[in-house]
Amino acid sequence: MLSSKPNRALPASAWGDDTDEAGKVPVKRLSKDEAQALTAVDAHTINPWRVVAVQAAVGLVVALVCGAITGQTSGFWSALYGAGVVVVPAALMARGMTSPLSSISPMASALSVMLWMTVKLGVALVMLGLAHKVVQPLVWPALLAALLVCIKVYWVALAWRRKN
């Protein structure tokens, strides 16, 4: 709830920063190096579509391996469906999170994250529930193996962020 009372600022001495006597922070021009360092921080962000693409590629590789191990197309299709249980909801969330509406304000961003995470989980659960009807005959170990390996791509994405 919004309050009609004005915000009372703490005295400048409470923060121990570079505020002047009036409690205002002086404007400082950035040097070229400081500006480049600031933009380099944004360069470490990860494109969610890259993560989705890598998940899809990894899922296809796992499906090919499962098909080769089982010697049947059912192992391939089960693993491919398992990868889809991760990739399709992730693509929906990436689409929602990269839309311009999700970055209007901090509140809109927070609500967008919650909404799209709910959609992502819901779609994944529905896809898992329909797996036995969509893939005939279903090979659960192949499906679960692909699902788990594709989920682990998120950890790889964190490693990409650290390297950059």
Side-chain angles (χ1 to χ4, degrees):
M1 174 176 262
L2 295 175
S3 173
S4 60
K5 296 180 183 178
N7 291 336
R8 285 186 266 161
L10 293 173
S13 61
W15 292 102
D17 58 9
D18 295 333
T19 57
D20 62 9
E21 297 81 30
K24 295 181 182 176
V25 178
V27 177
K28 177 187 170 198
R29 288 188 181 255
L30 297 178
S31 68
K32 183 178 179 181
D33 293 334
E34 290 172 329
Q36 286 176 343
L38 186 61
T39 58
V41 171
D42 290 339
H44 293 300
T45 59
I46 300 170
N47 184 345
W49 291 107
R50 180 179 177 197
V51 176
V52 172
V54 171
Q55 283 178 326
V58 167
L60 181 61
V61 169
V62 171
L64 290 170
V65 169
C66 286
I69 289 173
T70 61
Q72 300 172 352
T73 59
S74 61
F76 170 79
W77 289 112
S78 296
L80 194 61
Y81 190 84
V85 169
V86 176
V87 172
V88 170
L92 286 172
M93 185 166 180
R95 171 67 178 100
M97 295 303 302
T98 56
S99 73
L101 292 176
S102 69
S103 61
I104 291 174
S105 70
M107 182 62 86
S109 295
L111 289 173
S112 180
V113 168
M114 288 189 289
L115 170 74
W116 287 106
M117 185 55 88
T118 303
V119 169
K120 178 181 174 179
L121 290 172
V123 169
L125 289 173
V126 168
M127 287 181 73
L128 277 175
L130 295 174
H132 70 283
K133 292 182 181 180
V134 175
V135 181
Q136 295 288 331
L138 182 62
V139 180
W140 277 105
L143 183 143
L144 294 174
L147 185 139
L148 290 173
V149 170
C150 287
I151 287 175
K152 295 300 179 188
V153 170
Y154 290 120
W155 289 101
V156 175
L158 288 174
W160 291 333
R161 184 173 181 158
R162 282 192 212 123
K163 286 182 183 179
N164 292 338

